[in-house]
Amino acid sequence: MSATGVHSLWTTAAGPIDQIKAPDIEYAQLAPALIVVGAAIVGLLIEAFMPRKARYHAQVFLTVLAIVASFAAVLGLAEAGYGTTKVRIAAMGAIAIDGPTLFLQGTILLASLVAVFTFAERKLDPEVNGHQIDAFAAQGAAVPGSDNEKSAVRAGFTITEVYPLTLFAIAGLLVFPAANDLLTLFIALEVFSLPLYLLCALARRKRLMSQEAAVKYFLLGAFSSAFLLFGIALVYGYAGSVGYAKIADVVDGSIRTIDPVLADTMGNDALLLIGSAMILMGLLFKVGAVPFHMWTPDVYQGAPTPVTGFMAAATKVAAFGALLRLLYVVLPGMSWDWRPVMWGVAIITMLGGAIVAITQTDIKRLLAYSSIAHAGFILAGVIALTPDGISSVLFYLGAYSFVTIGAFAVVTLVRDAGGEATHLSKWAGLGRRSPLVAAVFAVFLLAFAGIPLTSGFSGKFAVFKAAAEGGAGALVVVGVISSAIAAFFYIRVIVLMFFSEPKADGPTVAVPSVMTMMAIGMGVVVTLVLGVAPQYFLDLASSAGVFVR
């Protein structure tokens, strides 16, 4: 065949040029995520070209500025009505801009801002050769205990790459609850997971435990991502689309036309059931629900404590947002299938987290099992399948984030010669040695326990009320029993702090810089305000609780 003949075949296969439609991207509506990605790229350039001495201040300033600018963009979109009257599907069907998206993005950004203050803390460890150091390894690539690491520590090096990594993670977290098709969901999951795997491995002290935590998180995370991706493939085979609205229409039976390429599989319910179950497994792994919780205690204990606080708050918010959108937008037509399963998951998560927490002797592991129990409480609101279910979950996520970051920020202050003193026996008598720190931690523990006049009580009351009205009264009974079990170990820590004799060789409480004080202060203020006067924020969550389809 002549060259011209081949060329004519190519052009005919491509078809007329005017049929290839240029993508239509609404940059203004995607601004919150784009600002953070742009700042992350600038952060990488700072690492490459700026002298080491100047990087820390430049990175902290850039990170805080990016988060504040992104939050301002979220407020601008909400003010313009994109959460209520102007809800829309942006980026050619990939991103949903609606009330839950903006509420969750705002919550993630505020929680990330508070977490970044704890990342930037450099007053807690003693100076090395006149250099201030933070919670992160001197040189991430150095083998623990090697000569390279020792020379990096002596030189007072600090890793400022954590800030661009954090910004990339935040960008993925912002897209995750807004994803309106399954491929965007998967890409966002990987974008925020990969930086978190790295951040978990960068603890300055207990390097080996930190790296072990990162490897466990990476392996189990890859496992859950594989389940999610396999589920996406099966659901695509069932519906002939990865778009949420199209899948929902096929599930409801309102689309009868079958794609000829997928004629053998489209409408096959086995594919839908197995595929949606696998996608749910991937999301339940991220929220830390039993039986997908195995990674949580080890990773929370081994990761640098500021990273633990960031993960515990922001990842949970994004993952529950994605779970809500999947169940309420894509799969409401098969609620008879998934509700009984989610009932079971919620019950074993609430009871499992609360009961196993009683046996813990490490404060970070205790907070990890506490976060597992809280995932169960939030699932009770998810199962409600009512508008109140959505708004109660949104409110609970906002309240929980600040309590969690505040509690982990307090953990960074209690120190002995080996760094943070996380064993519970070390906290005995803390109330006499440092009454203010112990009192603040007690406030956070009471909020976790759901004691009235704290945000924890308002959040639990909202999700349990929504669950009861949604016909899940038995779940509320289990939730109240789990809360009572959980209250035991929270109050046990308070009793240990205030009614035990301090040991002579006990830990000291380090005096932090303004950064950590602001993080803890914001945690206390939000905890008390949402506990004493929650109505405005409940109304805000209620007005934001309608998904676009």
Side-chain angles (χ1 to χ4, degrees), residues 4 18-19 31 34 50 62 107 116-117 121 133 147 162 199 230 235-236 275 309 315 329 389 397 456 485 491 518 523:
T4 50
D18 59 6
Q19 283 185 8
L34 294 177
M50 195 170 266
L62 175 71
T107 305
V116 165
F117 290 152
E121 178 57 62
I133 56 173
D147 291 339
V162 294
L199 288 169
F230 206 142
V235 171
Y236 175 74
T315 309
V329 175
L397 290 169
I485 297 169
I491 291 168
M518 282 169 65

Side-chain angles (χ1 to χ4, degrees), residues 168-459:
F168 278 120
I170 293 168
L173 290 166
L174 293 177
V175 175
F176 199 54
N180 194 54
D181 70 46
L182 293 171
L183 281 182
T184 308
L185 182 81
F186 177 72
I187 292 165
L189 174 78
E190 293 305 306
V191 168
F192 79 73
S193 295
L194 292 171
L196 286 177
Y197 300 150
L198 289 170
L199 288 169
C200 287
L202 295 177
R204 181 171 281 270
R205 315 249 186 170
K206 299 177 182 166
R207 289 284 316 276
L208 286 172
M209 186 195 275
S210 172
Q211 292 188 355
E212 181 192 347
V215 169
K216 284 178 179 171
Y217 191 23
F218 169 68
L219 291 175
L220 290 168
F223 199 54
S224 79
S225 296
F227 270 108
L228 185 84
L229 199 54
F230 206 142
I232 290 170
L234 294 178
V235 171
Y236 175 74
Y238 165 82
S241 171
V242 289
Y244 282 6
K246 176 86 179 287
I247 297 168
D249 287 340
V250 178
V251 172
D252 293 343
S254 49
I255 286 188
R256 295 288 176 199
T257 53
I258 289 187
D259 187 325
V261 182
L262 297 168
D264 293 338
T265 61
M266 244 182 112
N268 181 337
D269 286 347
L271 287 182
L272 174 65
L273 287 168
I274 299 168
S276 53
M278 288 179 125
I279 293 170
L280 285 176
M281 282 164 71
L283 294 177
L284 289 171
F285 173 89
K286 283 296 171 194
V287 303
V290 179
F292 313 105
H293 68 294
M294 307 300 184
W295 61 278
T296 312
D298 289 344
V299 175
Y300 278 31
Q301 185 182 12
T305 306
V307 175
T308 307
F310 171 62
M311 274 170 43
T315 309
K316 222 179 210 70
V317 175
F320 267 111
L323 187 66
L324 274 177
R325 191 176 297 279
L326 190 78
L327 295 179
Y328 280 66
V329 175
V330 186
L331 304 175
M334 54 178 294
S335 58
W336 284 102
D337 297 296
W338 63 254
R339 268 193 96 181
V341 177
M342 296 298 276
W343 264 69
V345 170
I347 288 169
I348 60 170
T349 303
M350 287 189 283
L351 288 173
I355 291 167
V356 181
I358 293 173
T359 65
Q360 299 306 310
T361 55
D362 185 276
I363 198 82
K364 284 170 82 174
R365 288 183 81 85
L366 186 141
L367 291 175
Y369 280 104
S370 151
S371 91
I372 292 167
H374 281 281
F377 299 140
I378 300 170
L379 280 173
V382 172
I383 290 166
L385 260 190
T386 61
D388 279 354
I390 302 174
S391 59
S392 67
V393 169
L394 296 181
F395 177 84
Y396 199 124
L397 290 169
Y400 174 80
S401 323
F402 288 93
V403 183
T404 304
I405 295 174
F408 279 109
V410 173
V411 171
T412 62
L413 304 184
V414 182
R415 308 177 83 80
D416 57 18
E420 291 160 6
T422 57
H423 198 278
L424 272 179
S425 62
K426 303 277 181 76
W427 288 60
L430 189 71
R432 301 186 186 186
R433 186 164 282 162
S434 183
L436 181 61
V437 170
V440 166
F441 197 61
V443 169
F444 292 137
L445 290 174
L446 292 172
F448 283 135
I451 303 299
L453 299 183
T454 64
S455 58
F457 175 77
S458 308

Side-chain angles (χ1 to χ4, degrees), residues 500-524:
S500 299
E501 285 296 326
K503 292 180 181 174
D505 60 341
T508 55
V509 174
V511 178
S513 69
V514 177
M515 296 276 197
T516 300
M517 286 182 188
M518 282 169 65
I520 296 171
M522 285 166 79
V524 171

